[in-house]
């Protein structure tokens, strides 16, 4: 919808060929507020007790009110209509056609709808309700639980934790309610804003935690390896006299064996002192 028509109390967006169902609802309410609603749904018959002059004037006022709420680009399509009811029916034929192509387009738009990371839940909810209202106007209706499930599926990955919590909170005997789901999402959005969280904090915090744990464990392993290497560098082989290895690992084959058990005990005592 385009520019607006407003008076001291009410305001209606000018219809430019888009979101007809929303504009139609606003327009009908606007006519009720202006006491011109009696012209809706009546092509030729006037209310009982009303004179022709009064009826024609009332109809002309309602027709003029609607005309003022139209963008220039759409006025040519209904320029021949002379009654309020005829005008609204002409719009319905043009913009509320229950054709298969319209249904497919709206269904694709609904199923592909995805809230962006960091996006507003209120704006996303408004877009979602607009599409479902347009589908309802062409005869495609969803029950309350299906709408709730579709809305949960349209949330970004950073909301997966809350989506799972809401899904698991429903027992077998109960069903999800759309209004309750939206209220829970809005409450969570307010909580995140109050704590200064961004939309991706839940995911980034989790991944950061895993990285930190991996860093700590790898650091501990590297320190352990360094400590063992440093300790082994102080060991002296009792066979060749060189540092860095034990007699059992010595590559030298020279010298006499001596008392194997005594040397083994001696080496173990030295290693114990070094460590």
């Amino acid at each position: 919808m385009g520019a607006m028509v407003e008076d001291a109390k009410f305001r209606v967006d000018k219809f430019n060929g888009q979101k007809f169902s929303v504009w139609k609802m606003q327009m009908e309410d606007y006519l009720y507020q202006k006491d011109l609603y009696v012209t809706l749904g009546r092509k030729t018959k006037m209310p009982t007790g009303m004179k022709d002059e009064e009826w024609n004037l009332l109809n002309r006022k309602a027709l003029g009110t609607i005309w003022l709420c139209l963008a220039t680009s759409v006025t040519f399509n209904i320029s021949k209509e002379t009654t309020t009811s005829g005008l609204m029916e002409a719009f319905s034929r043009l913009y509320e056609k229950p054709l298969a192509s319209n249904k497919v387009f709206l269904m694709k738009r609904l199923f592909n709808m995805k809230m962006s990371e960091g996006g507003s839940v209120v704006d996303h909810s408004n877009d979602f309700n607009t599409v479902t209202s347009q589908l309802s106007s062409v005869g495609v209706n969803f029950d309350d639980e299906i709408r709730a499930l579709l809305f949960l599926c349209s949330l970004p990955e950073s909301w997966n934790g809350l989506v799972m919590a809401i899904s698991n909170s429903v027992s077998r005997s109960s069903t999800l309610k759309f209004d309750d789901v939206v209220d829970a999402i809005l409450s969570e959005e307010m909580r995140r804003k109050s704590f200064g969280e961004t939309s991706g904090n839940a995911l980034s915090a989790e991944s950061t935690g895993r990285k930190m744990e991996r860093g700590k464990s790898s650091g501990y392993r590297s320190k352990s390896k360094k400590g063992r290497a440093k300790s082994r560098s102080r060991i002296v082989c009792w066979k060749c006299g060189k540092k860095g290895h034990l007699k059992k690992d010595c590559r030298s084959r020279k010298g006499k064996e001596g008392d194997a058990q005594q040397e083994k005990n001696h080496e173990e005592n030295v290693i114990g002192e070094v460590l």
Side-chain angles (χ1 to χ4, degrees):
M1 290 183 285
M4 298 178 181
V5 174
E6 57 184 323
D7 56 22
K9 296 182 179 180
F10 313 109
R11 168 176 89 178
V12 178
D13 294 328
K14 283 193 173 185
F15 178 60
N16 61 1
Q18 299 179 359
K19 299 183 179 180
F20 173 71
S21 59
V22 177
W23 176 85
K24 180 182 178 182
M25 179 180 61
Q26 291 180 343
M27 196 69 249
E28 289 177 350
D29 290 341
Y30 191 57
L31 291 176
Y32 269 90
Q33 296 294 336
K34 291 287 188 177
D35 293 327
L36 300 172
Y37 62 90
V38 72
T39 59
L40 293 172
R42 293 174 179 268
K43 279 192 173 182
T44 56
K45 293 182 179 180
M46 70 181 83
T48 304
M50 182 177 287
K51 297 180 180 180
D52 291 342
E53 294 81 5
E54 294 174 340
W55 169 248
N56 291 334
L57 178 61
L58 188 67
N59 183 71
R60 188 64 186 86
K61 284 183 177 180
L63 197 64
T65 301
I66 296 175
W67 275 93
L68 292 173
C69 295
L70 300 176
T72 306
S73 58
V74 300
T75 56
F76 302 104
N77 298 325
I78 40 81
S79 58
K80 295 181 180 180
E81 299 297 333
T82 58
T83 63
T84 304
S85 57
L87 181 65
M88 297 303 288
E89 288 181 6
F91 272 128
S92 296
R93 288 194 301 270
L94 289 169
Y95 300 102
E96 280 187 333
K97 291 180 180 180
L99 299 177
S101 58
N102 289 356
K103 294 178 182 180
V104 170
F105 171 77
L106 291 171
M107 291 289 281
K108 281 186 176 181
R109 185 178 173 189
L110 178 64
F111 293 148
N112 293 329
M113 183 176 291
K114 195 77 173 179
M115 186 177 115
S116 60
E117 291 286 2
S120 168
V121 175
V122 173
D123 292 341
H124 180 64
S125 176
N126 290 339
D127 292 339
F128 183 89
N129 287 328
T130 297
V131 176
T132 53
S133 296
Q134 290 173 336
L135 282 167
S136 179
S137 69
V138 294
V140 179
N141 297 297
F142 301 98
D143 63 33
D144 200 55
E145 184 179 24
I146 297 299
R147 291 177 65 221
L149 291 171
L150 288 172
F151 188 79
L152 288 174
C153 291
S154 68
L155 297 176
E157 291 185 0
S158 60
W159 293 83
N160 283 351
L162 183 61
V163 170
M164 291 299 299
I166 292 175
S167 302
N168 294 333
S169 66
V170 181
S171 62
R172 292 183 178 180
S173 59
S174 60
T175 58
L176 287 172
K177 297 187 181 299
F178 179 77
D179 290 340
D180 293 342
V181 168
V182 174
D183 288 344
I185 301 299
L186 288 171
S187 298
E188 173 63 12
E189 183 183 46
M190 293 179 62
R191 186 197 69 80
R192 292 186 180 190
K193 287 182 178 180
S194 66
F195 285 95
E197 296 181 9
T198 59
S199 60
N201 269 5
L203 293 177
S204 62
E206 183 179 354
S207 61
T208 301
R210 289 196 297 265
K211 290 179 181 178
M212 291 177 64
E213 290 298 326
R214 288 197 297 266
K216 289 180 180 179
S217 60
S218 62
Y220 175 77
R221 288 194 297 269
S222 62
K223 288 180 180 179
S224 300
K225 290 180 180 179
K226 290 179 180 178
R228 289 197 299 269
K230 185 176 181 181
S231 298
R232 290 185 66 86
S233 65
R234 298 166 59 187
I235 297 173
V236 178
C237 176
W238 286 92
K239 187 172 183 180
C240 66
K242 296 181 180 180
K243 295 182 179 181
H245 64 273
L246 300 174
K247 176 186 174 184
K248 64 184 182 67
D249 300 322
C250 185
R251 297 181 180 181
S252 174
R253 297 184 180 276
K254 297 180 180 181
K256 296 181 180 180
E257 291 294 333
D259 189 350
Q261 185 62 40
Q262 183 178 355
E263 290 187 13
K264 181 179 179 182
N265 294 338
H266 187 58
E267 281 190 6
E268 288 178 351
N269 292 334
V270 173
I271 293 171
E273 292 176 1
V274 172
L275 296 176

